[in-house]
Amino acid sequence: MRASDRAYAQLLEEIQRGVLAPGTVLGEVEQAARLGVSRTPAREAIGRLTAAGLAHQLSPRVTVVSDFSAGDVRSLFEVRRALEENSARLAAAKRDPAVFENLARAFAAAHPENGEVETDAYYELIARFDEALDEAVNNSYFTNALRTIRTHLARARRLARDNRARLRASVAEHRLIAEAIAAGDGELAAHATHVHLHNALAAILTSLAAAPAGPEALTDPLSEGTP
């Protein structure tokens, strides 16, 4: 792996996990030293984060981690709904039933509320589901658009990570989506996806509203109210 790719991957993970909070300065020299790379790979990595909307320039010499507000989350989910509901509908028409039957069984056996290891395994299962969905849809335009959405979604997903009730509900929602796709029922798959995204958005916005004020808090907590 190239040094710039390694630096980008680490910075991306830290932004998605909230280790690098919104407003954190991404100094080229400081990040290069911290990541153990030269300034050029660090500059390239920070440039990629900026291009992806995960960082932005305050001035020609200062780049910071982008805010991730309630308004940003709503905007993200507006696009996510359009893409994922249609992906579920298309996947139901094109799928390999066995793939989604296996995923449905895996969701039935998942218990992410039991601890960190189980939660990590559950998010890996969701990644497998996403990959199967992309493969079934077989449309590079959908895949590329969803890749961008999922990159930002990881920042929102961590807000619900400690909400055990929400994790239990998410398991059941994903199981229903997988079962509907396996059965070839596109309308049920799309509707189940709609319900899942509605519930996920509500949980994330609730977490944002409860976030403490301060430099590490996400901004704009529910200025328009929870839907």
Side-chain angles (χ1 to χ4, degrees):
M1 181 183 291
R2 296 188 309 157
S4 61
D5 292 336
R6 188 172 68 253
Y8 172 77
Q10 184 168 340
L11 290 171
L12 174 62
E13 181 185 7
E14 291 174 349
I15 290 172
Q16 291 175 330
R17 288 170 48 213
V19 175
L20 294 176
T24 300
V25 175
L26 297 175
E28 183 181 303
V29 174
E30 293 80 4
Q31 294 303 326
R34 187 176 71 86
L35 299 173
V37 299
S38 65
R39 290 182 60 178
T40 297
R43 184 187 309 119
E44 292 176 358
I46 293 169
R48 288 175 63 183
L49 293 170
T50 302
L54 295 163
H56 71 279
Q57 285 189 300
L58 290 181
S59 72
R61 299 178 66 86
V62 179
T63 301
V64 300
V65 176
S66 297
D67 289 339
F68 196 59
S69 69
D72 294 322
V73 173
R74 290 191 185 94
S75 296
L76 174 68
F77 269 76
E78 286 175 1
V79 181
R80 189 184 178 199
R81 278 178 178 140
L83 292 171
E84 291 196 1
E85 288 177 28
N86 278 295
S87 287
R89 187 179 286 111
L90 288 169
K94 301 179 177 182
R95 87 289 182 210
D96 176 349
V99 170
F100 289 93
E101 288 167 0
N102 288 335
L103 285 166
R105 285 192 290 270
F107 282 119
H111 297 284
E113 73 278 9
N114 286 348
E116 287 297 308
V117 173
E118 291 83 357
T119 301
D120 288 341
Y122 178 57
Y123 285 129
E124 290 174 5
L125 176 58
I126 291 175
R128 283 172 47 202
F129 174 79
D130 289 342
E131 290 173 4
L133 199 66
D134 292 345
E135 184 173 347
V137 172
N138 191 29
N139 183 318
S140 60
Y141 296 103
F142 264 99
T143 301
N144 291 335
L146 280 168
R147 183 179 298 115
T148 299
I149 293 298
R150 289 165 185 159
T151 297
H152 290 272
L153 176 63
R155 300 181 77 185
R157 184 172 282 160
R158 70 180 177 83
L159 296 171
R161 184 180 176 90
D162 295 327
N163 185 336
R164 299 303 168 186
R166 176 61 207 142
L167 287 172
R168 283 193 297 273
S170 178
V171 170
E173 291 159 7
H174 275 96
R175 179 183 179 181
L176 178 57
I177 297 167
E179 289 175 342
I181 294 173
D185 191 334
E187 292 310 308
L188 177 57
H191 179 70
T193 301
H194 178 87
V195 171
H196 167 65
L197 296 181
H198 173 82
N199 293 339
L201 175 60
I204 290 166
L205 292 176
T206 298
S207 294
L208 275 172
E216 295 187 1
L218 299 183
T219 59
D220 184 27
L222 283 181
S223 58
E224 301 172 14
T226 302

